[in-house]
Amino acid sequence: MTDLSLPDLPGGLPDKRQVAASFSRAAASYDSVAELQRDVGSQLMDCLPADFVPGRWLDLGCGTGHFSRALNDRFPASHGVALDIAEGMLDHARPLGGATHFIAGDAERLPLQASTCDLIFSSLAVQWCADFASVLSEAHRVLRPGGIFAFASLCVGTLYELRDSWREVDGMVHVNRFREFGVYQQLCAGSGLTVAQLQTRPHVLHYPDVRSLTHELKALGAHNLNPGRPGGLTGRARILGLIEAYEQFRQAKGLPATYQVVYAVLEKPV
Ligand SMILES: C[S@@+](CC[C@H](N)C(=O)[O-])C[C@H]1O[C@@H](n2cnc3c(N)ncnc32)[C@H](O)[C@@H]1O
């Protein structure tokens, strides 16, 4: 049985300061390589009820603010808060507008008062939170009754081609850890929020070679930051081993990289 004691991700996730620093460094390059992130966030927007208009929304883990601006376009009469743990991302997002306030903060400890938001929108951010139960309890606290927490995240199965290829080369952690979809289901069910939608769908991207994939992960700030990752330079022999192993996955379109995306819409009971 899955152990749901906190933190809910066995093996842990990277230190938050490292996550913030990595995304801050990536702020300038992020938008040029964020094809999957655009697609997922748009699909999450489509999950919102058509007639729902929040008085105040929160874009949780806003990154460069693409979806803060999209939320502002969709709800022009609403007030928006864009929040991220990475100051560099906020510096990038702020001049582009969209939200009324841009705030540095942690999804596990929101610097917001109780019952102040009608919508929390969070696309591809909470997979970085080791304690997802805290994210849910903060969402519950900050939402007004009738409010919605819509999130997209990643679960086990994400980047499995890269993980399996590295496993053939050595036994080290080279790919960020993701929780099981079943853990999302259990934590959401126990959150006090009503689960209106919770599903997982694979998105598969294709790359001409392994280097294109690993460069893209770095440009996104999403390369491996796990505790236990190998330190130092990656030797030439091991890189060649990785390339050889990954080639076994090659398809007509190129080398596949699977992202197992979780889409959820949760409601705070009235
Ligand atoms: C992959 S980016 C997604 C950005 C944006 N939502 C989008 O779809 O383009 C993930 C973002 O989550 C932020 N993040 C990671 N951990 C966080 C936390 N604990 N609290 C708030 N933001 C966090 C990162 O700094 C980064 O900007």
Side-chain angles (χ1 to χ4, degrees), residues 4-9 107-108 129-140 149 179 183 187-188 190-191 193:
L4 292 179
S5 58
L6 302 178
D8 64 90
L9 202 58
E108 293 175 16
C129 297
D131 186 356
F132 187 56
S134 289
V135 175
L136 289 168
S137 110
E138 282 295 82
H140 187 282
F149 179 27
R179 26 179 100 69
V183 175
L187 291 174
C188 288
S191 67
L193 298 165

Side-chain angles (χ1 to χ4, degrees), residues 228-251:
R229 69 190 180 280
L233 295 172
T234 308
R236 185 175 155 73
R238 290 165 67 239
I239 291 288
L240 289 175
L242 173 70
I243 290 171
E244 197 182 320
Y246 211 132
E247 281 299 326
Q248 296 169 39
F249 291 100
R250 187 174 283 281
Q251 301 169 347

Side-chain angles (χ1 to χ4, degrees), residues 16 19-24 30-31 34 37-38 40-41 59-67 83-87 89-90 105-110 121-130 135 220-222:
K16 281 182 207 284
V19 172
S22 179
F23 277 108
S24 287
Y30 180 90
D31 281 328
Q37 288 69 14
R38 295 288 174 269
V40 169
D59 184 8
L60 183 58
C62 63
T64 56
H66 178 87
F67 290 102
L83 182 145
D84 203 283
I85 204 166
E87 295 275 4
M89 283 293 193
L90 292 167
D106 181 356
E108 293 175 16
R109 292 182 59 178
L110 290 175
F121 178 94
S122 183
S123 189
L124 292 179
V126 298
Q127 70 276 6
W128 292 102
C129 297
V135 175
L220 287 166

Side-chain angles (χ1 to χ4, degrees), residues 150-173:
F151 73 83
S153 188
L154 299 172
C155 66
V156 165
T158 297
L159 296 177
Y160 78 87
E161 301 92 344
L162 184 59
R163 177 183 297 273
D164 289 358
S165 299
W166 268 122
R167 194 175 291 140
E168 283 196 27
V169 178
D170 60 28
M172 308 285 272
V173 181

Side-chain angles (χ1 to χ4, degrees), residues 26-46:
S29 54
Y30 180 90
D31 281 328
S32 65
V33 285
E35 178 196 337
L36 171 90
Q37 288 69 14
R38 295 288 174 269
D39 191 18
V40 169
S42 301
Q43 292 199 29
L44 184 62
M45 290 278 270
D46 292 343

